Short mmCIF file of all heavy atoms in Angstrom, two decimals:
data_model
loop_
_atom_site.label_atom_id
_atom_site.label_comp_id
_atom_site.label_asym_id
_atom_site.label_seq_id
_atom_site.Cartn_x
_atom_site.Cartn_y
_atom_site.Cartn_z
N GLN A 1 0.82 -1.21 0.00
CA GLN A 1 0.00 0.00 0.00
C GLN A 1 0.86 1.27 0.00
O GLN A 1 0.54 2.24 -0.69
CB GLN A 1 -0.92 0.00 1.24
CG GLN A 1 -1.87 1.19 1.31
CD GLN A 1 -2.85 1.24 0.15
OE1 GLN A 1 -3.38 0.22 -0.26
NE2 GLN A 1 -3.07 2.43 -0.40
N ASP A 2 1.96 1.24 0.76
CA ASP A 2 2.80 2.44 0.84
C ASP A 2 3.45 2.75 -0.52
O ASP A 2 3.58 3.91 -0.90
CB ASP A 2 3.88 2.29 1.92
CG ASP A 2 4.64 0.96 1.84
OD1 ASP A 2 4.29 0.12 0.99
OD2 ASP A 2 5.58 0.76 2.64
N ALA A 3 3.83 1.69 -1.26
CA ALA A 3 4.45 1.89 -2.56
C ALA A 3 3.43 2.41 -3.58
O ALA A 3 3.70 3.37 -4.32
CB ALA A 3 5.09 0.60 -3.06
N THR A 4 2.27 1.78 -3.64
CA THR A 4 1.26 2.21 -4.61
C THR A 4 0.74 3.60 -4.26
O THR A 4 0.43 4.39 -5.16
CB THR A 4 0.09 1.21 -4.67
OG1 THR A 4 -0.42 0.98 -3.34
CG2 THR A 4 0.54 -0.12 -5.25
N SER A 5 0.65 3.93 -2.98
CA SER A 5 0.21 5.28 -2.57
C SER A 5 1.20 6.33 -3.02
O SER A 5 0.82 7.40 -3.51
CB SER A 5 0.04 5.35 -1.04
OG SER A 5 -1.00 4.50 -0.62
N TYR A 6 2.48 6.01 -2.88
CA TYR A 6 3.52 6.96 -3.31
C TYR A 6 3.40 7.23 -4.81
O TYR A 6 3.43 8.38 -5.26
CB TYR A 6 4.91 6.42 -2.98
CG TYR A 6 6.02 7.25 -3.58
CD1 TYR A 6 6.44 8.43 -2.97
CD2 TYR A 6 6.64 6.86 -4.77
CE1 TYR A 6 7.44 9.21 -3.54
CE2 TYR A 6 7.64 7.63 -5.34
CZ TYR A 6 8.04 8.80 -4.73
OH TYR A 6 9.02 9.57 -5.29
N LEU A 7 3.27 6.15 -5.60
CA LEU A 7 3.17 6.31 -7.05
C LEU A 7 1.91 7.09 -7.43
O LEU A 7 1.93 7.94 -8.32
CB LEU A 7 3.17 4.94 -7.74
CG LEU A 7 4.46 4.13 -7.61
CD1 LEU A 7 4.27 2.72 -8.18
CD2 LEU A 7 5.62 4.83 -8.31
N HIS A 8 0.80 6.82 -6.72
CA HIS A 8 -0.45 7.54 -6.98
C HIS A 8 -0.30 9.02 -6.65
O HIS A 8 -0.76 9.89 -7.42
CB HIS A 8 -1.58 6.92 -6.17
CG HIS A 8 -2.91 7.60 -6.37
ND1 HIS A 8 -3.64 7.48 -7.53
CD2 HIS A 8 -3.62 8.44 -5.56
CE1 HIS A 8 -4.73 8.20 -7.44
NE2 HIS A 8 -4.76 8.79 -6.25
N GLU A 9 0.34 9.32 -5.53
CA GLU A 9 0.56 10.71 -5.13
C GLU A 9 1.41 11.47 -6.15
O GLU A 9 1.21 12.67 -6.37
CB GLU A 9 1.24 10.77 -3.76
CG GLU A 9 0.33 10.39 -2.60
CD GLU A 9 1.10 10.13 -1.32
OE1 GLU A 9 2.32 10.45 -1.28
OE2 GLU A 9 0.51 9.59 -0.37
N ARG A 10 2.34 10.78 -6.77
CA ARG A 10 3.17 11.43 -7.78
C ARG A 10 2.47 11.56 -9.13
O ARG A 10 3.01 12.14 -10.05
CB ARG A 10 4.49 10.67 -7.96
CG ARG A 10 5.42 10.67 -6.76
CD ARG A 10 5.76 12.08 -6.27
NE ARG A 10 6.35 12.92 -7.29
CZ ARG A 10 7.66 13.12 -7.46
NH1 ARG A 10 8.51 12.52 -6.64
NH2 ARG A 10 8.11 13.91 -8.41
N GLY A 11 1.27 10.98 -9.22
CA GLY A 11 0.47 11.13 -10.44
C GLY A 11 0.73 10.07 -11.50
O GLY A 11 0.34 10.24 -12.66
N ILE A 12 1.36 8.97 -11.13
CA ILE A 12 1.70 7.92 -12.10
C ILE A 12 0.51 7.00 -12.33
O ILE A 12 -0.06 6.45 -11.39
CB ILE A 12 2.93 7.12 -11.63
CG1 ILE A 12 4.15 8.04 -11.55
CG2 ILE A 12 3.21 5.94 -12.55
CD1 ILE A 12 5.38 7.39 -10.97
N TYR A 13 0.14 6.82 -13.61
CA TYR A 13 -1.00 5.98 -13.97
C TYR A 13 -0.61 4.49 -13.91
O TYR A 13 0.57 4.13 -14.01
CB TYR A 13 -1.48 6.29 -15.38
CG TYR A 13 -2.00 7.68 -15.60
CD1 TYR A 13 -2.03 8.22 -16.89
CD2 TYR A 13 -2.48 8.47 -14.54
CE1 TYR A 13 -2.51 9.50 -17.13
CE2 TYR A 13 -2.96 9.75 -14.77
CZ TYR A 13 -2.97 10.26 -16.06
OH TYR A 13 -3.44 11.54 -16.29
N GLU A 14 -1.64 3.65 -13.84
CA GLU A 14 -1.41 2.19 -13.89
C GLU A 14 -0.77 1.79 -15.22
O GLU A 14 0.09 0.90 -15.25
CB GLU A 14 -2.74 1.45 -13.73
CG GLU A 14 -3.19 1.25 -12.29
CD GLU A 14 -2.22 0.37 -11.50
OE1 GLU A 14 -1.73 -0.64 -12.05
OE2 GLU A 14 -1.93 0.72 -10.35
N SER A 15 -1.17 2.45 -16.29
CA SER A 15 -0.61 2.12 -17.60
C SER A 15 0.89 2.40 -17.64
O SER A 15 1.66 1.67 -18.28
CB SER A 15 -1.32 2.93 -18.70
OG SER A 15 -1.22 4.32 -18.44
N SER A 16 1.33 3.45 -16.92
CA SER A 16 2.76 3.77 -16.87
C SER A 16 3.51 2.77 -16.00
O SER A 16 4.66 2.42 -16.29
CB SER A 16 2.97 5.19 -16.33
OG SER A 16 2.42 6.14 -17.21
N VAL A 17 2.87 2.33 -14.92
CA VAL A 17 3.48 1.30 -14.06
C VAL A 17 3.77 0.06 -14.90
O VAL A 17 4.85 -0.55 -14.82
CB VAL A 17 2.55 0.94 -12.87
CG1 VAL A 17 3.07 -0.29 -12.13
CG2 VAL A 17 2.44 2.12 -11.92
N GLU A 18 2.81 -0.30 -15.76
CA GLU A 18 2.98 -1.48 -16.61
C GLU A 18 4.03 -1.24 -17.70
O GLU A 18 4.90 -2.08 -17.93
CB GLU A 18 1.65 -1.85 -17.24
CG GLU A 18 1.71 -3.11 -18.09
CD GLU A 18 0.35 -3.49 -18.65
OE1 GLU A 18 -0.66 -2.89 -18.26
OE2 GLU A 18 0.32 -4.39 -19.51
N LYS A 19 3.94 -0.07 -18.36
CA LYS A 19 4.87 0.23 -19.46
C LYS A 19 6.32 0.22 -18.99
O LYS A 19 7.20 -0.33 -19.67
CB LYS A 19 4.53 1.60 -20.06
CG LYS A 19 5.53 2.09 -21.11
CD LYS A 19 5.16 3.47 -21.65
CE LYS A 19 6.21 3.99 -22.61
NZ LYS A 19 5.87 5.33 -23.18
N PHE A 20 6.58 0.81 -17.83
CA PHE A 20 7.96 0.92 -17.35
C PHE A 20 8.37 -0.21 -16.40
O PHE A 20 9.49 -0.21 -15.91
CB PHE A 20 8.17 2.28 -16.68
CG PHE A 20 8.18 3.43 -17.64
CD1 PHE A 20 7.00 4.11 -17.96
CD2 PHE A 20 9.34 3.82 -18.28
CE1 PHE A 20 7.01 5.15 -18.87
CE2 PHE A 20 9.36 4.86 -19.20
CZ PHE A 20 8.18 5.52 -19.49
N GLY A 21 7.47 -1.16 -16.17
CA GLY A 21 7.81 -2.34 -15.37
C GLY A 21 8.14 -2.03 -13.92
O GLY A 21 9.00 -2.70 -13.32
N ILE A 22 7.47 -1.04 -13.33
CA ILE A 22 7.78 -0.63 -11.96
C ILE A 22 7.39 -1.74 -10.99
O ILE A 22 6.33 -2.37 -11.13
CB ILE A 22 7.05 0.68 -11.61
CG1 ILE A 22 7.47 1.79 -12.58
CG2 ILE A 22 7.34 1.11 -10.18
CD1 ILE A 22 6.65 3.06 -12.46
N GLY A 23 8.24 -2.02 -10.00
CA GLY A 23 7.99 -3.08 -9.04
C GLY A 23 8.36 -2.66 -7.63
O GLY A 23 8.55 -1.47 -7.33
N TYR A 24 8.45 -3.67 -6.76
CA TYR A 24 8.81 -3.42 -5.36
C TYR A 24 9.74 -4.53 -4.87
O TYR A 24 9.43 -5.72 -5.01
CB TYR A 24 7.56 -3.35 -4.47
CG TYR A 24 7.90 -3.19 -3.00
CD1 TYR A 24 8.24 -1.94 -2.50
CD2 TYR A 24 7.91 -4.29 -2.14
CE1 TYR A 24 8.58 -1.79 -1.17
CE2 TYR A 24 8.25 -4.14 -0.80
CZ TYR A 24 8.58 -2.89 -0.33
OH TYR A 24 8.93 -2.74 1.00
N ALA A 25 10.89 -4.13 -4.31
CA ALA A 25 11.85 -5.10 -3.77
C ALA A 25 11.58 -5.26 -2.27
O ALA A 25 11.57 -4.27 -1.53
CB ALA A 25 13.27 -4.62 -4.00
N PRO A 26 11.38 -6.49 -1.79
CA PRO A 26 11.10 -6.72 -0.36
C PRO A 26 12.39 -6.73 0.47
O PRO A 26 13.42 -6.22 0.03
CB PRO A 26 10.42 -8.08 -0.39
CG PRO A 26 11.11 -8.79 -1.52
CD PRO A 26 11.40 -7.74 -2.55
N ASP A 27 12.33 -7.36 1.63
CA ASP A 27 13.53 -7.48 2.46
C ASP A 27 14.54 -8.39 1.78
O ASP A 27 14.21 -9.15 0.86
CB ASP A 27 13.15 -8.03 3.84
CG ASP A 27 12.54 -9.42 3.76
OD1 ASP A 27 11.30 -9.52 3.56
OD2 ASP A 27 13.30 -10.41 3.84
N SER A 28 15.76 -8.33 2.24
CA SER A 28 16.88 -9.03 1.58
C SER A 28 16.66 -10.53 1.52
O SER A 28 16.85 -11.16 0.47
CB SER A 28 18.19 -8.72 2.32
OG SER A 28 19.27 -9.33 1.67
N GLN A 29 16.24 -11.13 2.61
CA GLN A 29 16.11 -12.58 2.66
C GLN A 29 15.02 -13.08 1.71
O GLN A 29 15.19 -14.12 1.06
CB GLN A 29 15.79 -13.04 4.09
CG GLN A 29 15.99 -14.55 4.30
CD GLN A 29 17.39 -15.03 3.95
OE1 GLN A 29 18.38 -14.48 4.42
NE2 GLN A 29 17.49 -16.06 3.12
N SER A 30 13.93 -12.33 1.60
CA SER A 30 12.85 -12.74 0.69
C SER A 30 13.35 -12.78 -0.75
O SER A 30 13.01 -13.69 -1.51
CB SER A 30 11.67 -11.78 0.80
OG SER A 30 11.08 -11.85 2.08
N THR A 31 14.15 -11.78 -1.12
CA THR A 31 14.71 -11.75 -2.48
C THR A 31 15.59 -12.96 -2.73
O THR A 31 15.49 -13.63 -3.76
CB THR A 31 15.51 -10.45 -2.69
OG1 THR A 31 14.62 -9.34 -2.69
CG2 THR A 31 16.25 -10.49 -4.02
N MET A 32 16.46 -13.27 -1.78
CA MET A 32 17.39 -14.39 -1.98
C MET A 32 16.65 -15.73 -1.96
O MET A 32 17.01 -16.65 -2.68
CB MET A 32 18.50 -14.33 -0.95
CG MET A 32 19.46 -13.17 -1.24
SD MET A 32 20.96 -13.20 -0.27
CE MET A 32 20.28 -12.85 1.34
N ASN A 33 15.61 -15.83 -1.12
CA ASN A 33 14.81 -17.05 -1.12
C ASN A 33 14.15 -17.25 -2.47
O ASN A 33 14.08 -18.38 -2.99
CB ASN A 33 13.73 -16.98 -0.02
CG ASN A 33 14.33 -17.12 1.37
OD1 ASN A 33 15.47 -17.56 1.53
ND2 ASN A 33 13.56 -16.74 2.38
N TYR A 34 13.66 -16.16 -3.06
CA TYR A 34 13.01 -16.28 -4.37
C TYR A 34 14.04 -16.71 -5.43
O TYR A 34 13.74 -17.59 -6.26
CB TYR A 34 12.38 -14.95 -4.79
CG TYR A 34 11.78 -15.01 -6.18
CD1 TYR A 34 10.54 -15.61 -6.39
CD2 TYR A 34 12.49 -14.53 -7.27
CE1 TYR A 34 10.01 -15.70 -7.66
CE2 TYR A 34 11.96 -14.63 -8.56
CZ TYR A 34 10.72 -15.21 -8.75
OH TYR A 34 10.20 -15.32 -10.01
N ILE A 35 15.22 -16.15 -5.39
CA ILE A 35 16.25 -16.49 -6.38
C ILE A 35 16.58 -17.97 -6.34
O ILE A 35 16.62 -18.65 -7.37
CB ILE A 35 17.52 -15.63 -6.14
CG1 ILE A 35 17.24 -14.17 -6.52
CG2 ILE A 35 18.70 -16.17 -6.95
CD1 ILE A 35 18.34 -13.21 -6.10
N THR A 36 16.81 -18.49 -5.15
CA THR A 36 17.17 -19.91 -5.03
C THR A 36 15.98 -20.82 -5.35
O THR A 36 16.15 -21.92 -5.88
CB THR A 36 17.70 -20.21 -3.63
OG1 THR A 36 16.75 -19.76 -2.64
CG2 THR A 36 19.03 -19.51 -3.38
N SER A 37 14.75 -20.34 -5.07
CA SER A 37 13.57 -21.16 -5.37
C SER A 37 13.36 -21.31 -6.87
O SER A 37 12.72 -22.26 -7.33
CB SER A 37 12.32 -20.53 -4.74
OG SER A 37 11.91 -19.37 -5.45
N GLN A 38 13.92 -20.39 -7.64
CA GLN A 38 13.81 -20.45 -9.09
C GLN A 38 15.01 -21.15 -9.74
O GLN A 38 15.22 -21.06 -10.94
CB GLN A 38 13.69 -19.03 -9.66
CG GLN A 38 12.44 -18.27 -9.20
CD GLN A 38 11.16 -18.97 -9.61
OE1 GLN A 38 10.96 -19.24 -10.79
NE2 GLN A 38 10.30 -19.27 -8.63
N MET A 39 15.79 -21.83 -8.90
CA MET A 39 16.93 -22.65 -9.34
C MET A 39 18.09 -21.83 -9.89
O MET A 39 18.88 -22.31 -10.70
CB MET A 39 16.50 -23.70 -10.40
CG MET A 39 15.41 -24.62 -9.93
SD MET A 39 15.86 -25.45 -8.37
CE MET A 39 14.34 -26.28 -7.94
N PHE A 40 18.19 -20.57 -9.45
CA PHE A 40 19.37 -19.77 -9.77
C PHE A 40 20.32 -19.84 -8.58
O PHE A 40 19.89 -19.99 -7.43
CB PHE A 40 18.99 -18.31 -10.02
CG PHE A 40 18.11 -18.10 -11.21
CD1 PHE A 40 16.77 -17.77 -11.04
CD2 PHE A 40 18.60 -18.23 -12.50
CE1 PHE A 40 15.95 -17.58 -12.13
CE2 PHE A 40 17.78 -18.04 -13.60
CZ PHE A 40 16.45 -17.71 -13.43
#
């Protein structure tokens, strides 16, 4: 919610979020768990 609220406050449309591939990086361990779960 905090990330989407920030983007909304800055005036960024959903179409722009999709066009530019904007995302959200979680905590460090979650990222590394995802990497290893995908066999990298």
Side-chain angles (χ1 to χ4, degrees):
Q1 183 62 41
D2 48 357
T4 53
S5 295
Y6 171 80
L7 295 173
H8 179 72
E9 287 166 11
R10 294 305 303 264
I12 296 175
Y13 297 158
E14 276 296 319
S15 57
S16 296
V17 170
E18 183 177 351
K19 174 181 176 179
F20 289 91
I22 301 171
Y24 176 79
D27 62 274
S28 183
Q29 195 57 51
S30 295
T31 292
M32 289 191 291
N33 288 343
Y34 176 79
I35 289 170
T36 54
S37 74
Q38 298 299 305
M39 303 305 173
F40 296 108

